[in-house]
Amino acid sequence: MTGATSRTTGDQGGGDKEAVKPDADLRNFGEMVKAFRKRAGLTQEEFRAEVGYSVQYVAAVEQGRRHPSATFVREAERVLDAFGVLEIAAKQLTRRRGLASWFTQWAELEEEAIALNTYECRSIPGLLQTEAYARAQIKNVPPLPTPDKAEARIAMRLDRQKLLHRTPYIAFSFIFEQTLLERRTGGADITRGQIDHLLECAELANVDIQIMPTVSPEHAGTDGPFRLLETNENEWVGYSEGQQSGIVIFDPKDISLLHQRYAKLRIQALNPADSTGLLMRMRGSL
């Protein structure tokens, strides 16, 4: 997979986050856009109207705080008549995208998403976790955080769940392993509450939940968890996470590979109705 890593954790585990400064290439790209904009005699407000993005977006790109989308690069190249320089620079930039705090970047992408597909085999996806489940999970992963850090992580995780109810709706698809509930993280009571919450989320019109049975002779997800996200510019981005590392994936070939795997997982997992039935049976057995 292409992308880059930093030493921190996403919304699944419990390690400390370590801030990573934006890389020099990203800052240089922003300076290049700014220089071409000024050469064209455009203010940020005038430029943003031409390319169809907000002033905040343009400012973030110019300051090296945000990775430009392919659409932005294409429109900036057209508006600024940049002789192909921006497109060439963007191709170089793509190889190193993700150096600027990968989790923060992914959370930013989520907020602009129109679709989000998640396969998870380690723990219940963060967007579906109850507070009690999140608390139990964070306390299970060494090194144990201070109470303040633990509360901050939990608050962040719960705040992100507003995306489930955001309008215009994001189309969510979640696939996760049956074993994650059989593990009973935090005990039977917490698991019972987590299942109840999953059943509530499954009733949302924009949320599909599918469970991969414990016995699954055919399984396309054995390489580990991943996510796919469609931006409001109809561009797809991928994400993969491991121990103290994360990768935001932009390469079209890698995105295609992840799409193939997710399509297969959707076939292999229980459909949403059968998954709801399984959740209810598991709930009854606790």
Side-chain angles (χ1 to χ4, degrees), residues 147-219:
D148 287 347
K149 285 186 177 181
E151 292 305 317
R153 283 185 211 151
I154 292 167
M156 180 186 295
R157 197 167 302 185
L158 296 178
D159 185 66
R160 287 178 55 246
Q161 294 179 5
K162 293 177 182 177
L163 293 173
L164 296 173
H165 307 280
R166 193 207 71 186
T167 54
Y169 288 125
I170 300 173
F172 287 97
S173 169
F174 296 96
I175 302 173
F176 58 85
E177 300 290 327
Q178 178 180 346
T179 54
L180 301 184
L181 291 169
E182 293 174 336
R183 186 179 300 149
R184 300 190 182 184
T185 297
D189 287 344
I190 288 177
T191 302
R192 193 178 295 113
Q194 179 63 62
I195 292 176
D196 288 342
H197 182 63
L198 291 170
L199 289 170
E200 291 174 5
C201 291
E203 293 180 357
L204 297 174
N206 60 317
V207 175
D208 285 334
I209 293 178
Q210 294 180 253
I211 297 178
M212 182 66 73
T214 301
V215 179
S216 303
E218 296 182 353
H219 197 313

Side-chain angles (χ1 to χ4, degrees), residues 51-264:
V51 295
Y53 285 78
S54 67
V55 170
Q56 292 81 5
Y57 188 103
V58 171
V61 170
E62 290 189 354
Q63 293 165 15
R65 295 185 292 104
R66 182 179 189 123
H67 294 284
S69 70
T71 301
F72 177 88
V73 173
R74 184 172 62 250
E75 290 302 299
E77 183 70 45
R78 177 185 63 81
V79 171
L80 301 177
D81 191 21
F83 315 108
V85 172
L86 294 180
E87 291 181 340
I88 293 171
K91 288 179 182 178
Q92 291 296 116
L93 186 63
T94 298
R95 297 185 185 130
R96 299 192 60 194
R97 290 174 115 172
L99 288 174
S101 182
W102 54 263
F103 183 68
T104 301
Q105 182 186 2
W106 184 256
E108 179 182 274
L109 289 167
E110 283 183 331
E111 295 203 1
E112 298 183 354
I114 61 175
L116 180 61
N117 301 336
T118 300
Y119 167 65
E120 187 55 67
C121 57
R122 302 163 304 167
S123 62
I124 300 299
L127 290 171
L128 298 177
Q129 292 179 11
T130 64
E131 179 178 349
Y133 182 97
R135 194 178 300 279
Q137 184 195 28
I138 286 172
K139 289 182 178 179
N140 279 333
V141 181
L144 297 180
T146 64
D148 287 347
K149 285 186 177 181
E151 292 305 317
R153 283 185 211 151
I154 292 167
M156 180 186 295
R157 197 167 302 185
L158 296 178
D159 185 66
R160 287 178 55 246
Q161 294 179 5
K162 293 177 182 177
L163 293 173
L164 296 173
H165 307 280
R166 193 207 71 186
T167 54
Y169 288 125
I170 300 173
F172 287 97
S173 169
F174 296 96
I175 302 173
F176 58 85
E177 300 290 327
Q178 178 180 346
T179 54
L180 301 184
L181 291 169
E182 293 174 336
R183 186 179 300 149
R184 300 190 182 184
T185 297
D189 287 344
I190 288 177
T191 302
R192 193 178 295 113
Q194 179 63 62
I195 292 176
D196 288 342
H197 182 63
L198 291 170
L199 289 170
E200 291 174 5
C201 291
E203 293 180 357
L204 297 174
N206 60 317
V207 175
D208 285 334
I209 293 178
Q210 294 180 253
I211 297 178
M212 182 66 73
T214 301
V215 179
S216 303
E218 296 182 353
H219 197 313
T222 52
D223 272 5
F226 64 92
R227 307 178 202 184
L228 285 162
L229 176 153
E230 184 180 8
T231 70
N232 55 13
E233 292 125 20
N234 305 114
E235 297 171 344
W236 285 91
V237 182
Y239 174 83
S240 181
E241 186 176 272
Q243 293 282 340
Q244 293 298 98
S245 65
I247 305 174
V248 179
I249 303 164
F250 294 91
D251 188 276
K253 292 182 179 179
D254 289 338
I255 298 297
S256 175
L257 180 151
L258 294 179
H259 273 299
Q260 293 176 49
R261 293 179 181 177
Y262 201 82
K264 201 71 172 178

